[in-house]
Amino acid sequence: MVTIPEYYEGKNVLITGATGFMGKVLLEKLLRSCSSVKTAYVLVRPKAGQAPEARIADMINCKLFDRLREEQPDFAEKIVAVNSDLTQPDLDLSTEDQETLTGCINIVFHCAATIRFNEPLKDAMQLNVLATQKMVNLAHRMKHLEVFIHVSTAYAHCDRELIEEVVYPPPVDYRKLIDTLEWMDDKLVSLMTPKLLGERPNTYTYTKALAEQLIQQECGNLNVAIIRPSIVGASWKEPFPGWIDNFNGPSGIFIASALHHPPFIHSFIAEIMASLQYHVISTFKRNPLEQAFRRPNVNLTTNHLINQYWIAVSHKAPAFLYDLFLRMSGREPRMMKTITRLHKAMMVLEYFTSHSWVWNMDNITMLMNQMGSEDKKAFNIDVRQLHWAEYMENYCMGTKKYVLNEELSGLPAARKHLNKLRNIRYTFNTILVVFIWRIFIARSQMARNIWYFVVSLCFKFLSYFRASSTMRY
Ligand SMILES: NC(=O)c1ccc[n+]([C@@H]2O[C@H](COP(=O)([O-])OP(=O)(O)OC[C@H]3O[C@@H](n4cnc5c(N)ncnc54)[C@H](OP(=O)(O)O)[C@@H]3O)[C@@H](O)[C@H]2O)c1
């Protein structure tokens, strides 16, 4: 059997979404581990006044590509940026580009999508479903296509508890929905959206499910594979541990917990999260972020009331006081705004942090078993080998280094800042206790009696402790 790099030898690959998180990791790995791949064509739209070529040139200058640059200095020659907006008719491809792609592509990776959970339904349909349809149409015209890989999500069928490796019947026929959305105005669509979503939490998972159905219905004789990643975090080992470049999903939660008293995670799979929580907090206590607002902490709770209590006491009250301080010192208040944004982001994740699923992975197991020893080493997909403590530490350090661009040289100052925050907290707590003491104890006889009782108990305990320790000598 050929190895994976042998399979890619001399092949032309087409990737959509190559400027995104998953796409660029795929591009880097493909070029590094399958160095004899012929060309990687990437469909890229112009953005912020930058042409596709310039965007790709910028992208491959980032840290992710350092190792590849070192191993293969000329790797950029294998990347061809093709101007394309997937939401436009014919993917906005020029006739010339269409001819090139249909004439030479062997493998397609369709990664582009909108991953914003609450994208308006019309927009989510445009990219996640209609663009997929256009890609399938293009694939049908490719003369040498061997396989079409569609990147879906593990949550496409999150309305089920057991998710097997099959395409489930869709919530609605995508063709009917496309027709309906065509004549509806935005207001009507947004009114209708919750009804359409049914058990699904957002338009992202809904449209990803429809895209899977579309692939199944329209792939004809193409060889198609649908892959369903779950929530993707920082890199495990390659090109180096902990690489990540966005705030999405867990990264946002980690950064939030490191910046200040953090978001809540309702009833996550408790044992796993408790252990992850420990690693995140301990890493950030040892390696604090420069912008920390409070000492790193995280609370997991399944109780809505407790959650609301901590949000009020631990997030909103300090944010309000901090903003008051900023206002009084003539600066722009910002913490309440940040906290509100953070909570909104957490609300979006809430569905995923408060449900659990069982995924069947027979195909992945079969794939792992069929891989030769060389491939197993170069394309290790066996996450059972992952050492979680080490992974989490690298992940947290990755968010610090690559997402927040903080240098390790800033650590001593960040640690000093964290100690200052700890002292502020102790001072605040002491003032609070004295304040409560003044109100309750000084004014009520009963409170005073309880207070004296507690103090005398402590005193007795200390005397006993002192006596027993002197007896030993
Ligand atoms: N990240 C995860 O945790 C995760 C988990 C499960 C599944 N997935 C799936 O993995 C795939 C990639 O996700 P990601 O995290 O890499 O997303 P991402 O970082 O948001 O990247 C999205 C990509 O799609 C491109 N794109 C968007 N609209 C486009 C348009 N009109 N024309 C051309 N390109 C367009 C973006 O290009 P621009 O740079 O021009 O915007 C970008 O390259 C998606 O299918 C997603 O459903 C991701």
Side-chain angles (χ1 to χ4, degrees):
M1 202 170 75
V2 293
T3 63
I4 296 173
E6 279 165 2
Y7 170 72
Y8 278 98
E9 199 172 327
K11 299 273 166 73
N12 291 309
V13 179
L14 176 68
I15 302 175
T16 68
T19 49
F21 172 50
M22 304 267 281
K24 67 178 86 147
V25 173
L26 167 70
L27 181 66
E28 193 275 343
K29 174 72 180 164
L30 185 71
L31 294 174
R32 183 164 47 81
S33 298
C34 304
S35 53
S36 43
V37 66
K38 193 169 171 196
T39 308
Y41 290 88
V42 290
L43 298 193
V44 184
R45 58 180 167 172
K47 207 174 186 180
Q50 259 195 320
E53 294 80 8
R55 290 191 66 197
I56 292 298
D58 261 8
M59 184 185 85
I60 59 178
N61 261 329
C62 83
K63 177 97 188 126
L64 174 71
F65 290 84
D66 279 2
R67 184 167 157 192
L68 177 61
R69 200 175 312 96
E70 217 169 85
E71 291 175 12
Q72 301 172 42
D74 299 329
F75 79 95
E77 288 168 13
K78 289 193 177 164
I79 306 174
V80 176
V82 180
N83 184 72
S84 168
D85 184 332
L86 305 190
T87 56
Q88 297 303 310
D90 287 334
L91 305 161
D92 213 15
L93 287 170
S94 67
T95 323
E96 203 180 76
D97 285 337
Q98 288 186 39
E99 269 167 26
T100 311
L101 297 178
T102 51
C104 77
I105 295 298
N106 306 109
I107 300 132
V108 173
F109 286 96
H110 176 41
C111 299
T114 170
I115 60 164
R116 280 157 69 172
F117 286 172
N118 286 323
E119 190 84 81
L121 185 60
K122 262 190 183 180
D123 298 341
M125 282 293 288
Q126 272 293 335
L127 195 56
N128 295 352
V129 182
L130 285 161
T132 303
Q133 188 174 43
K134 289 172 197 148
M135 283 303 298
V136 172
N137 289 342
L138 182 71
H140 277 299
R141 291 164 51 206
M142 291 177 177
K143 298 178 188 84
H144 306 288
L145 188 70
E146 293 171 21
V147 61
F148 182 99
I149 313 278
H150 172 72
V151 182
S152 182
T153 161
Y155 300 101
H157 306 284
C158 59
D159 52 329
R160 295 168 176 267
E161 282 177 8
L162 170 69
I163 301 171
E164 300 189 79
E165 290 166 301
V166 295
V167 175
Y168 289 105
V172 60
D173 188 318
Y174 67 92
R175 285 163 289 228
K176 283 190 184 146
L177 187 60
I178 293 169
D179 290 345
T180 313
L181 291 179
E182 225 162 66
W183 61 263
M184 276 192 178
D185 64 22
D186 294 349
K187 211 168 160 193
L188 199 52
V189 176
S190 74
L191 277 175
M192 206 180 68
T193 303
K195 186 98 187 115
L196 281 169
L197 297 187
E199 295 282 295
R200 285 186 174 76
N202 51 45
T203 52
Y204 171 66
T205 53
Y206 183 79
T207 50
K208 285 302 241 185
L210 293 183
E212 285 195 3
Q213 186 211 9
L214 180 145
I215 295 271
Q216 193 188 43
Q217 302 266 311
E218 304 196 8
C219 69
N221 58 356
L222 298 178
N223 289 322
V224 170
I226 294 177
I227 60 162
R228 294 177 178 157
S230 58
I231 295 173
V232 183
S235 59
W236 175 13
K237 290 181 186 165
E238 293 179 47
F240 34 79
W243 185 83
I244 178 94
D245 75 344
N246 62 65
F247 289 91
N248 300 340
S251 324
I253 297 179
F254 298 162
I255 291 171
S257 43
L259 283 175
H260 58 90
H261 212 290
F264 287 85
I265 300 167
H266 302 260
S267 111
F268 227 20
I269 308 172
E271 314 87 70
I272 300 175
M273 276 313 289
S275 126
L276 293 187
Q277 161 202 6
Y278 169 77
H279 294 303
V280 172
I281 297 305
S282 66
T283 304
F284 281 128
K285 276 189 177 159
R286 273 179 284 120
N287 309 288
L289 298 186
E290 288 164 18
Q291 306 280 315
F293 164 61
R294 296 190 59 194
R295 279 179 58 81
N297 200 359
V298 73
N299 280 345
L300 306 181
T301 177
T302 54
N303 186 311
H304 185 70
L305 275 180
I306 295 179
N307 185 15
Q308 290 305 316
Y309 167 79
W310 280 113
I311 287 174
V313 169
S314 213
H315 294 188
K316 293 201 170 160
F320 176 76
L321 290 176
Y322 189 68
D323 276 357
L324 201 67
F325 165 73
L326 289 177
R327 224 185 269 271
M328 279 159 62
S329 54
R331 282 177 284 171
E332 185 77 13
R334 60 186 162 86
M335 204 38 84
M336 224 28 200
K337 216 165 145 189
T338 312
I339 288 282
T340 311
R341 265 177 52 197
L342 191 73
H343 279 284
K344 274 194 186 149
M346 291 306 118
M347 292 295 284
V348 167
L349 280 182
E350 192 176 291
Y351 178 87
F352 301 94
T353 57
S354 58
H355 285 76
S356 56
W357 294 267
V358 174
W359 281 276
N360 178 303
M361 48 175 281
D362 289 347
N363 287 339
I364 288 286
T365 312
M366 187 177 70
L367 197 64
M368 278 195 287
N369 291 340
Q370 287 188 359
M371 282 163 87
S373 57
E374 268 176 58
D375 283 343
K376 273 187 182 155
K377 241 193 258 162
F379 302 87
N380 188 0
I381 52 169
D382 189 355
V383 287
R384 289 168 301 186
Q385 294 169 17
L386 191 139
H387 186 268
W388 279 97
E390 189 186 321
Y391 174 73
M392 291 310 295
E393 172 143 8
N394 289 332
Y395 194 160
C396 293
M397 291 308 285
T399 57
K400 185 173 163 63
K401 273 197 274 183
Y402 310 119
V403 182
L404 299 172
N405 289 321
E406 290 188 6
E407 292 294 334
L408 291 185
S409 56
L411 266 180
R415 286 192 190 119
K416 244 189 193 166
H417 176 61
L418 205 66
N419 285 340
K420 208 163 93 187
L421 290 175
R422 186 199 50 201
N423 294 341
I424 292 174
R425 193 170 130 228
Y426 287 161
T427 314
F428 180 78
N429 287 352
T430 312
I431 294 172
L432 200 69
V433 167
V434 170
F435 185 69
I436 292 171
W437 187 85
R438 284 287 302 153
I439 292 180
F440 291 104
I441 302 185
R443 290 184 187 183
S444 137
Q445 182 60 44
M446 196 162 117
R448 226 173 359 245
N449 289 346
I450 294 173
W451 173 252
Y452 289 138
F453 177 69
V454 172
V455 170
S456 68
L457 258 185
C458 293
F459 186 71
K460 275 184 193 150
F461 175 74
L462 278 176
S463 319
Y464 169 77
F465 184 70
R466 219 172 26 213
S468 61
S469 56
T470 347
M471 264 156 56
R472 263 188 253 148
Y473 299 101

